[in-house]
Amino acid sequence: MRNNKFYTRRRFLQTTALFSTALTTSLISPRRSNAQDETVEALIIGSGFGGAVAALRLGQAGINTLVLERGRRWPITSAQNTFATYRKPDGRAAWLSPKTLILDEVPIDVYTGILERQDEQGISVYCGAGVGGGSLVYNAITYQPPRELFYQVFPTTIDYDEMDRVYYPRVHSIIKPKPIPQDILATNYYLSTRLFLQQAANAGLTSRLLDIAIDWDIVRQEINGTKVPSTIIGEDWYGINSGAKKSLDRSYLADAEKTGYVDILPLHIATEISEVPGHGYRVACNQINESGEVITRKTITCKYLFLAAGCMGTSKLLVKAKATGTLPWLNEHIGLGWGTNGDTFTIRAGFPTPTNSGQGGPATAAIQYFDNPFGPISIESLSIWNAPEGILAFPAIGIPSVRGRFKYDFTKGSVGLKWPDGNSLGDPKLLKAAQFAYRLLDRKNATSTNQARTDITMGSYFQPKNLVKAQVSDTFANFHPLGGAVIGKACDLYGRVIGYRGLYVVDGALMPGSTACANPSFTIAALAERCLERIIAEDIV
């Protein structure tokens, strides 16, 4: 890290340069959130894993930075009632929806809630909304793919040893994830995790406890009754009211704001990006209230623009800009390479003893079946709050071969994601890998009186009409959308958008449809750290 004297001098030069441009008549402080036209050195769209990393590193470098986030802030309250719950859902559970979006659909008030479902052509995609992005709703899994699988997905020109030595540990040091401690694992709440590990051992499969971005001391307080039960009763996708989840608003983003150079504007939706030739970029956005109504339309001009609106948001902004001519030099790879991260979902039913699958969140353990003859796969334990006894629920992650693409519809003036025709059940290769793995688990764990029954669906965390039969709709759901501005194709190896200077992608859109049999958040953040280090050293002047 450079010394403070250097940053003070550079900040003076940056401010002087901005005053001398024709962008606006003055440099307006990002804190003036009511201004309809603003100028800032760096603008970040989105506050998830990529955006949070960018915010902290730009702030530490002394760059005046503004973060636009479409959702609201979700501070943990002393009353421990920040979030909606599965048991009593309300508008906080969903983004501008009249009903809840996962598990049982329940009518709710329309509100800028925490989870959005985008129903696309042939697939439904879930996205987080709020300061902290997907970290508010994810299972807190911090999972690094192994070298041999990393290179099945990413360009070999990315040095895995450097990722392993520098950038994954850098993220780890901020988020501070840890495996579930043995005393908590031994409780009745985590019976399903213990059964999962035992069944893996019976089948001769490698298993491990995952690093989880959870404060396990708070979980202990849930167990002893001094914190509201949340994690231990499977409440996680709507947020954890006890405060156990280490979401980004409490780590990267909090540290970014402490630098004094970073401001976050919640409830601001970016609608269009365009180039200001020779000077930077202009972003049109709508400021909304908590009911989703537009309060003010704004434009913000910046020298450096970082796209981190999540795979869906970033890809749609870029595809629209290319189609409508506001960024005409984007290359032919924009909007391509979208993937599901290889998600499948499985219910294994018929166990004669209690399984406690409705307790003990979030997902805490994984089976690593990387020598599966049909393709490598990671299988994870999962809690579902209303699961009946006698079942175990498993999401799994492989390496997908089927890809979707984003396309602009000129008649509607909008961008949509198209999943390939004939793949309504997902990726056949992934399905075969999952079927082989679960047949092995079923066979090796059978007894004279019991044989587990397994139902596999493509996608993840669907809305089952019946958990035991695993009924699903015609389209499948996905919680790990990746791609659309892929590294090494639409962008260079450091997230620079090809064809434009000062324009960057640092989120899930940069991933090649997969993060190699691992949950994507850790790799998104680690690659963002790698990108920002190079960008700040070489591009920010």
Side-chain angles (χ1 to χ4, degrees), residues 459-513:
S460 57
Y461 315 152
F462 55 91
Q463 303 161 34
K465 297 176 183 177
N466 183 312
L467 276 170
V468 176
K469 294 183 179 179
Q471 299 285 334
V472 293
S473 61
D474 292 336
T475 60
F476 66 92
N478 177 253
F479 251 81
H480 295 149
L482 299 171
V486 172
I487 192 168
K489 294 184 176 181
C491 302
D492 77 357
L493 296 178
Y494 295 93
R496 302 178 178 107
V497 176
I498 293 171
Y500 288 89
R501 179 175 294 180
L503 179 62
Y504 311 97
V505 172
V506 291
D507 63 2
L510 194 62
M511 306 299 107

Side-chain angles (χ1 to χ4, degrees), residues 285-298:
C285 64
N286 294 331
Q287 182 180 358
I288 62 173
N289 62 21
E290 292 184 353
S291 297
E293 301 166 328
V294 176
I295 298 171
T296 308
R297 300 185 192 278
K298 300 182 177 182

Side-chain angles (χ1 to χ4, degrees), residues 197-228:
L197 294 170
Q198 183 59 57
Q199 293 207 348
N202 293 344
L205 295 173
T206 300
S207 64
R208 55 167 290 191
L209 295 177
L210 293 163
D211 279 352
I212 307 295
I214 290 290
D215 186 331
W216 294 109
D217 285 336
I218 291 180
V219 175
R220 290 188 178 97
Q221 293 174 62
E222 291 185 32
I223 293 170
N224 68 30
T226 58
K227 289 282 188 180
V228 62

Side-chain angles (χ1 to χ4, degrees), residues 332-375:
E332 70 277 13
H333 297 290
I334 291 293
L336 304 183
W338 187 89
T340 64
N341 200 40
D343 290 354
T344 60
F345 184 84
T346 297
I347 293 292
R348 299 184 63 230
F351 298 102
T353 58
T355 54
N356 285 9
S357 291
Q359 300 179 341
T364 49
I367 293 171
Q368 297 175 319
Y369 193 6
F370 296 154
D371 57 352
N372 184 319
F374 292 98

Side-chain angles (χ1 to χ4, degrees), residues 367-513:
I367 293 171
Q368 297 175 319
Y369 193 6
F370 296 154
D371 57 352
N372 184 319
F374 292 98
I377 191 170
S378 292
I379 302 170
E380 297 170 352
S381 60
L382 185 69
S383 62
I384 298 181
W385 78 274
N386 58 352
E389 285 295 350
I391 77 160
L392 292 173
F394 302 150
I397 302 172
I399 298 178
S401 58
V402 178
R403 294 288 190 271
R405 63 181 298 167
F406 293 90
K407 187 175 181 180
Y408 186 76
D409 186 330
F410 285 91
T411 62
K412 297 179 180 178
S414 63
V415 179
L417 171 65
K418 186 179 186 303
W419 187 245
D421 293 337
N423 285 277
S424 62
L425 295 179
D427 190 324
K429 180 181 176 182
L430 289 173
L431 186 58
K432 287 183 179 179
Q435 288 171 334
F436 189 86
Y438 291 117
R439 279 199 298 266
L440 175 61
L441 280 168
D442 289 348
R443 186 172 68 252
K444 294 295 186 178
N445 285 283
T447 68
S448 59
T449 58
N450 177 64
Q451 173 68 54
R453 183 175 70 256
T454 299
D455 292 288
I456 304 171
T457 67
M458 302 307 294
S460 57
Y461 315 152
F462 55 91
Q463 303 161 34
K465 297 176 183 177
N466 183 312
L467 276 170
V468 176
K469 294 183 179 179
Q471 299 285 334
V472 293
S473 61
D474 292 336
T475 60
F476 66 92
N478 177 253
F479 251 81
H480 295 149
L482 299 171
V486 172
I487 192 168
K489 294 184 176 181
C491 302
D492 77 357
L493 296 178
Y494 295 93
R496 302 178 178 107
V497 176
I498 293 171
Y500 288 89
R501 179 175 294 180
L503 179 62
Y504 311 97
V505 172
V506 291
D507 63 2
L510 194 62
M511 306 299 107

Side-chain angles (χ1 to χ4, degrees), residues 124-187:
S124 293
V125 180
Y126 288 89
C127 309
V131 175
S135 74
L136 296 166
V137 298
Y138 81 143
N139 268 285
I141 296 170
T142 310
Y143 193 178
Q144 178 178 334
R147 177 185 288 99
E148 64 272 19
L149 298 185
F150 186 88
Y151 285 129
Q152 290 188 32
V153 173
F154 290 95
T156 56
T157 42
I158 297 176
D159 186 343
Y160 182 88
D161 289 336
E162 183 182 49
M163 293 289 294
D164 181 60
R165 185 180 66 256
V166 178
Y167 301 114
Y168 282 117
R170 189 171 294 175
V171 176
H172 198 283
S173 71
I174 300 291
I175 297 176
K176 297 180 172 61
K178 294 180 180 179
I180 182 173
Q182 289 299 315
D183 63 308
I184 297 176
L185 180 60
T187 66

